[in-house]
Amino acid sequence: MFFPTALRPRYAKWLIATGLFLMLSGCVDKPNTLERIKEDGVLRVITRNSPATYFQDRSGETGFEYELVKRFADDLGVELKIETADNLDDLFNQIGKPNGPVLAAAGLVSSEHRKQQVRFSHSYLEVTPQIIYRNGQSRPTDAGDLVGKKIMVLKGSTHAEQLAELKKKYPGIEYEESDAVEVVDLLRMVDEGQIDLTLVDSNEVAMNQVYFTNIRVAFDLGDASNQSWAVAPGEDNSLLNEINAYLDKVQKNGTLQRLKDRYYGHVDVLGYMGATTFAQHLQQRLPKYEQHFKNYAKKEKVDWRLLAAIGYQESLWQPTVTSKTGVRGLMMLTQNTAQAMGVSNRLDPKQSIMGGAKYLAYMKDQLDDSIKEPDRTWFALAAYNVGSGHLDDARKLTAKEGLNPDKWLDVKKILPRLSQKQWYSKTRYGYARGGEPVHFVANIRRYYDILTWVTQPQLEGDQVAEGNLHVPGIDKSKPAQEPAPL
């Protein structure tokens, strides 16, 4: 092409400028996943709706996975948005979709098949797959005993993969995979005799066994596995690296252990017989006093289910019991406490519940401001049992040991020392049965967890947290007869 001589320098400059612009434009990288999350100010996470992962109670969203991922979002300085999947296949399909969840926090165990779909983070919880059968039926003792049984597992689960492998060795094993159920449904179906067996992880069994009093663990199928979070496949490691750094940090600083203690540190408190009894009492005794718990808890600004859990721990919801030490009534108040709380008749269940609610609120108000929730509640319960003076002694001993006197996880390690002379002789208030408040709090936490789950509606399907709600599938049929008072 021919250009006038005067225009050639100008054209050359234009070509150079254009070339530089294009070169610079090509050097501008698109933001990676972590950068997009921070720019948007939102971390989108997909999970499952279950007591071991995520659900809603009166105070909002809760669950082990939720607590862990919420802290991660807070570390990133972004808002957390949760959605729940209809099934595991849907969960894996949603990860990484445009404007969809970038992370799955749902109690997932990695497998070779799943590694083709997603990338897994460092682990944070060890679980064991367990074969579950119905009490009264023949107990399977090994994989060969699965032949001829009606078995169902979650579709797309690692448990389905395990059974597929077993079937190669034992062709007679038959099982159904379902995407229309959750773990609670599988356990209910075993409990009711609709299926013979299922295979679920040990933490799910522990969290749900109290709702289904006929289920039993037959045996562990294989070795323990580790649960991890999952992100989309690809070469962008920005989010995965951040997740791994976070999980390593909470493992090191004790946050992860505190969460494990909160959700799983008390799951073995009841045992099978205790679970059966509690399920019966939920149906037969609690309804008589539930409204009193609600009324006085509201007045004293405490959770009625926590108050009810204290009542169960103290008396098994029996209003006329008296202990050897003279405490009486449904909330087992001492004479001095009853008088201080305005209770004239400790055997009147309404008055007893009123006194217990006032006393719990009082114990909570007396605690140092440095003690934050949820530890504040556990400390209040310990003080309810052993007295605030002995609790203060234990906190001081805790501090001397270099532990945190504001954390229940630390103080509960020290409380039993109050019954040992070498320790209580150094305290202001002296001897106390320091092991009792530890068991007291552990039991109440377990009862409270159960009451929270069975009395609150849960999210269903893939709706976002503020969507429609439903009641969990729990067998509430009435037992054949009222057990003898315990």
Side-chain angles (χ1 to χ4, degrees):
M1 183 179 292
F2 175 76
F3 290 95
T5 303
L7 293 178
R8 286 177 184 170
R10 188 182 304 170
Y11 179 69
K13 290 179 180 179
W14 179 83
L15 285 175
I16 293 171
T18 302
L20 287 171
F21 175 77
L22 292 174
M23 289 174 63
L24 291 172
S25 297
C27 292
V28 176
D29 294 330
K30 293 182 179 179
N32 60 37
T33 303
L34 183 61
E35 289 169 342
R36 288 200 306 272
I37 291 169
K38 292 184 175 181
E39 287 174 5
D40 294 342
V42 176
L43 177 66
R44 292 177 171 84
V45 175
I46 192 165
T47 189
R48 297 160 47 217
N49 178 212
S50 79
T53 52
Y54 167 82
F55 65 100
Q56 287 193 348
D57 66 10
R58 178 176 297 178
S59 58
E61 297 161 304
T62 188
F64 179 84
E65 292 285 356
Y66 172 78
E67 294 274 2
L68 192 58
V69 80
K70 178 65 169 66
R71 284 168 169 77
F72 178 55
D74 290 344
D75 271 12
L76 295 178
V78 298
E79 177 188 356
L80 174 64
K81 284 195 175 179
I82 293 279
E83 64 180 76
T84 57
D86 281 326
N87 51 63
L88 287 169
D89 287 340
D90 178 54
L91 182 145
F92 284 107
N93 289 334
Q94 292 299 321
I95 301 175
K97 280 192 172 182
N99 300 316
V102 297
L103 164 64
L108 302 174
V109 172
S110 67
S111 68
E112 291 306 313
H113 173 69
R114 286 181 172 179
K115 287 178 181 177
Q116 298 173 17
Q117 300 174 284
V118 296
R119 291 174 296 161
F120 286 96
S121 71
H122 293 175
S123 64
Y124 54 84
L125 185 67
E126 184 179 273
V127 297
T128 303
Q130 296 180 320
I131 293 290
I132 306 302
Y133 76 108
R134 190 176 192 271
N135 186 38
Q137 302 300 309
S138 176
R139 177 183 179 180
T141 58
D142 56 39
D145 291 339
L146 306 185
V147 175
K149 300 295 184 180
K150 186 176 182 180
I151 306 171
M152 183 183 289
V153 293
L154 296 184
K155 186 173 185 249
S157 65
T158 52
H159 305 125
E161 295 179 27
Q162 283 183 279
L163 292 177
E165 284 299 312
L166 275 181
K167 189 172 174 64
K168 295 176 182 178
K169 184 176 181 181
Y170 303 95
I173 292 178
E174 300 292 338
Y175 62 94
E176 178 183 352
E177 295 184 58
S178 176
D179 61 3
V181 298
E182 246 294 348
V183 171
V184 288
D185 300 297
L186 293 174
L187 295 175
R188 173 179 53 78
M189 293 170 78
V190 173
D191 184 82
E192 295 175 352
Q194 296 181 37
I195 58 176
D196 297 321
L197 307 170
T198 191
L199 176 61
V200 298
D201 285 330
S202 53
N203 65 317
E204 300 269 15
V205 179
M207 291 293 289
N208 288 290
Q209 72 176 45
V210 71
Y211 314 135
F212 311 110
T213 56
N214 292 315
I215 66 171
R216 298 290 187 273
V217 176
F219 60 91
D220 295 344
L221 187 64
D223 298 327
S225 303
N226 292 308
Q227 291 187 348
S228 305
W229 288 348
V231 300
E235 298 181 356
D236 181 353
N237 293 318
S238 59
L239 177 59
L240 187 59
N241 290 340
E242 193 76 9
I243 288 171
N244 287 336
Y246 164 75
L247 291 175
D248 291 346
K249 181 184 74 172
V250 296
Q251 174 76 50
K252 186 176 181 179
N253 67 19
T255 299
L256 183 58
Q257 184 57 49
R258 285 192 290 272
L259 283 176
K260 289 178 181 178
D261 179 71
R262 178 178 175 187
Y263 285 94
Y264 298 113
H266 53 288
V267 293
D268 294 326
V269 168
L270 294 180
Y272 285 117
M273 290 306 296
T276 301
T277 302
F278 185 66
Q280 292 172 333
H281 292 168
L282 269 175
Q283 300 161 26
Q284 297 169 344
R285 295 182 181 177
L286 179 59
K288 303 173 186 176
Y289 313 112
E290 183 173 330
Q291 198 56 50
H292 295 324
F293 284 123
K294 289 180 176 178
N295 291 343
Y296 288 111
K298 182 178 181 181
K299 185 174 181 181
E300 300 299 332
K301 298 180 181 179
V302 297
D303 192 321
W304 78 267
R305 295 161 301 187
L306 183 66
L307 192 61
I310 296 173
Y312 190 77
Q313 168 64 24
E314 293 285 40
S315 70
L316 304 183
W317 295 323
Q318 297 177 106
T320 60
V321 292
T322 301
S323 78
K324 295 178 180 178
T325 58
V327 292
R328 308 185 74 187
L330 195 145
M331 301 298 286
M332 296 298 275
L333 304 176
T334 66
Q335 183 64 49
N336 290 339
T337 298
Q339 290 177 352
M341 299 298 117
V343 174
S344 59
N345 181 3
R346 288 183 287 168
L347 300 185
D348 178 343
K350 184 176 180 180
Q351 287 194 45
S352 184
I353 292 169
M354 179 268 290
K358 291 177 69 173
Y359 190 54
L360 176 62
Y362 174 77
M363 288 290 100
K364 209 167 187 178
D365 287 342
Q366 299 306 301
L367 295 172
D368 291 347
D369 292 339
S370 59
I371 303 174
K372 308 300 181 183
E373 292 291 2
D375 297 274
R376 193 171 187 84
T377 294
W378 314 142
F379 278 107
L381 292 175
Y384 188 104
N385 175 262
V386 76
S388 57
H390 290 304
L391 181 63
D392 285 342
D393 285 344
R395 292 182 63 219
K396 290 173 183 176
L397 290 176
T398 301
K400 289 180 180 179
E401 289 296 302
L403 301 175
N404 191 338
D406 295 336
K407 293 296 182 183
W408 175 245
L409 185 63
D410 288 346
V411 175
K412 77 173 188 177
K413 298 174 184 176
I414 303 299
L415 265 165
R417 293 184 179 183
L418 297 183
S419 61
Q420 302 170 34
K421 186 174 182 179
Q422 68 178 105
W423 297 105
Y424 71 70
S425 61
K426 303 174 184 178
T427 65
R428 178 179 179 182
Y429 293 95
Y431 172 84
R433 292 190 292 268
E436 284 191 7
V438 176
H439 293 299
F440 183 82
V441 174
N443 288 346
I444 289 171
R445 289 177 65 173
R446 187 58 174 138
Y447 301 139
Y448 175 70
D449 283 347
I450 298 164
L451 286 166
T452 297
W453 179 247
V454 301
T455 60
Q456 290 297 318
Q458 308 302 312
L459 286 175
E460 185 169 24
D462 59 359
Q463 297 159 342
V464 179
E466 51 270 20
N468 294 328
L469 302 172
H470 80 284
V471 177
I474 295 170
D475 180 12
K476 295 184 178 179
S477 58
K478 189 174 182 179
Q481 66 183 49
E482 168 83 2
L486 299 176

